Amino acid sequence: MSLLAIVLLILGLGLVAWLTARARAMAFAGPGKPRLHSLPSYHGWYVALWALIPALLFLVVWSSISGGLVTQAVLDSPAAATLPTEPMQRGAVLSEARGLASGAIQTAFNPEARTLAPAYEEAIGHYGLIGGAAALLLAFAGGAFGYTRLSPHFRARTRVERLVMGLLFLASLIAILTTLGIVLSLLFESLRFFSLVSPIEFLFGTNWSPQTAIRPDQAGSSGAFGAIPLFWGTIFIGAIIAMIVAIPLGLMSAIYLTQYANPTVRSWMKPTLEMLAGVPTVVYGYFAALTVAPAIREFAVSVGIPGASSESALAAGLVMGIMIIPFVSSMADDSINAVPQAMRDGSLAMGATKSETIKKVLVPAALPGVVGGILLAVSRAIGETMIVVMAAGLAANLTANPFASVTTVTTQIVQLLTGDQEFNSAKTLAAFALGLVLFIVTLLLNIVALRVVKKYREAYE
C-alpha cells in the first residue's frame, strides 16, 4: 500500500468523521431540546481532528523507521548472501535494489541489485501494509473516541480553537528554532574558520585569494582571506549602483501611478511594472552579460576610459536596479494610497499645489512604507548572485571604477561551496564566515530601518 493511498484513505475517514459528527450535533438541536454550546461544524471538526492528527503523526514516525525495518528484512533474506562485504559496495547495491523495487530506476549497474529487488519489493509491500493498517485503525479509533464525547453541552469550539492555537504556536516555534539553528550553524563553522585565520586579517585585509593546499605535502598557496574587496563589491553593486537606479525610478513610478495616471493607464501599467519581479534572475543575468555589459564597455572605450572590462560593476548594478524597481514601487504605491484623504484635501484647501502636496505631505506621511520598500530592495540586491556572476565577474578587486570587474559576498559563497569540498579547510569554512558577516550586516540594517520607521510613524499617526 503506497503512502499516498494511505493518506487519501485517512483524509476520507476524516471527511466521514466530520459529516457524521456534524449530523449528530444537528440532531441535538431542535424544539424542546437544550441549546448547543458550539455550532455543529465545531463538533464535526473536533471528531475529524481526532481521526486525522493521531493517524498522520503515526505515519510520519512510521515513515522514518520503516526504511530501517525494510533494509533489515532484506539483509535477513537468503538473497542477501551474495552481497559484498565492503560497506560502500554493500550500500551501493542496496540503494540500487531499493530504486529498482520502488520504480525510481529502471536498470542497475550491479547484478546483485537485480537479485535483491524482489526481496526489497516484498519487504516494502509488507511493512507498507502494516503501517497503512495501523494508521487506518488509529484514525478509526481516534474518530470513535471523539464521537463518544459529543453532547449538547460539549465545548467543541473551545477544544478546536485551543488545538488551532497550539498548531499556530508550533508553526511560529518552528520558524524561531529554524532561525536559531541557522545562526548557530553559522557561528560554529565561523569559529572553526577564525581558529585558522585571524579575524583581523579577514575583516580588514584587502587581498582575497582563498586557494590553499589541501595536504601538508602539497605545493600551493597559503591563501589570503582579506574580505574587504568582497564587502566593497557587495556595497558598490547592490547598495550604491542598484539603489541609484531603483529608488528614484521606483518612487517616481509610484507617485505617477497614484497621483497623475488615469485609471485606465494605471490598470495596465502597474501589473506590467510588477511583472519585472517575476522574471527569473538568470534571465536578467543573460540580459546583463549579452546586452548591457558590451554596450557599457563600448561606451567606456569610445570616451577613453581606461581599464574598461566586458564584466563590470556598472552593468550588474544597472540590471540589478531594474530588477528591484517593483519592490520599491509597490511598497511606495501602497503607502501613498494609505495616506488619509483628509491630509490631501487639507493641503490643497490651504492653497498648496498638487506637486507641493506630494512633496510636503504625501511622501513624508508615506515614508515608513517607502523605507520598508527600500529595505526590501536592498536585501534583495545584497543577496543576488546570478547577475553578478554573469555580468560582474569573479575578480575580487578593490576599486571604485564602475567599469572594472568586481565580485560580491554571495558570489564567493557559491564559488567556495561548489563541487566536492573538504570542510576542514579554511577555503571552505570562509563561506560560513562570509555568511555570518552578511547576516549581521542585514540585521543591523533592519534595526536602523525600524528605528527610522518608528520615528516617522509617531510623527504622522
Side-chain angles (χ1 to χ4, degrees), residues 54 62 91 351 364 381 427 447:
W62 181 255
K427 174 186 175 182
I447 293 174

Side-chain angles (χ1 to χ4, degrees), residues 79-341:
T82 60
L83 279 174
T85 57
E86 202 276 325
M88 292 187 64
Q89 294 181 2
R90 176 185 290 252
V93 172
L94 291 174
S95 177
E96 287 188 345
R98 190 181 188 94
L100 288 173
S102 62
I105 59 175
Q106 301 300 322
T107 58
F109 177 77
N110 297 294
E112 296 90 347
R114 291 189 288 271
T115 305
L116 282 177
Y120 246 118
E121 188 173 356
E122 180 182 356
I124 290 174
H126 175 70
Y127 285 103
L129 185 62
I130 291 177
L136 291 175
L137 183 62
L138 196 58
F140 181 80
F145 172 78
Y147 189 80
T148 59
R149 302 289 305 278
L150 300 184
S151 67
H153 302 289
F154 181 66
R155 299 175 176 270
R157 178 176 63 84
T158 305
R159 304 294 178 87
V160 171
E161 289 180 350
R162 188 178 300 169
L163 179 61
V164 171
M165 187 180 299
L167 293 176
L168 294 176
F169 173 77
L170 182 62
S172 62
L173 187 62
I174 290 174
I176 295 172
L177 292 177
T178 302
T179 304
L180 183 61
I182 292 172
V183 174
L184 291 178
S185 64
L186 282 175
L187 283 173
F188 178 75
E189 300 296 342
S190 299
L191 290 175
R192 291 180 59 195
F193 170 76
F194 289 127
S195 67
L196 302 174
V197 177
S198 169
I200 303 298
E201 177 190 352
F202 176 75
L203 294 174
F204 301 101
T206 58
N207 185 17
W208 176 263
S209 179
Q211 300 299 327
T212 57
I214 298 176
R215 300 187 307 273
D217 59 341
Q218 182 180 6
S221 172
S222 60
F225 296 93
I228 287 293
L230 307 185
F231 300 150
W232 168 247
T234 303
I235 296 171
F236 193 35
I237 295 176
I240 296 179
I241 299 177
M243 290 300 105
I244 289 174
V245 175
I247 293 176
L249 293 180
L251 186 57
M252 287 190 290
S253 299
I255 292 173
Y256 171 75
L257 290 175
T258 56
Q259 303 301 315
Y260 294 104
N262 60 58
T264 304
V265 174
R266 176 181 169 83
S267 64
W268 65 264
M269 184 175 286
K270 184 174 172 59
T272 304
L273 181 63
E274 292 179 347
M275 283 175 59
L276 291 174
V279 178
T281 56
V282 68
V283 176
Y284 283 110
Y286 284 134
F287 175 66
L290 300 178
T291 304
V292 178
I296 289 177
R297 182 178 182 277
E298 291 176 3
F299 168 76
V301 171
S302 65
V303 298
I305 297 176
S309 172
S310 58
E311 295 177 331
S312 64
L314 184 59
L318 288 176
V319 177
M320 195 182 296
I322 295 172
M323 180 188 69
I324 61 179
I325 285 175
F327 294 93
V328 179
S329 176
S330 296
M331 292 290 290
D333 188 309
D334 296 339
S335 300
I336 293 173
N337 276 327
V339 176
Q341 184 64 35

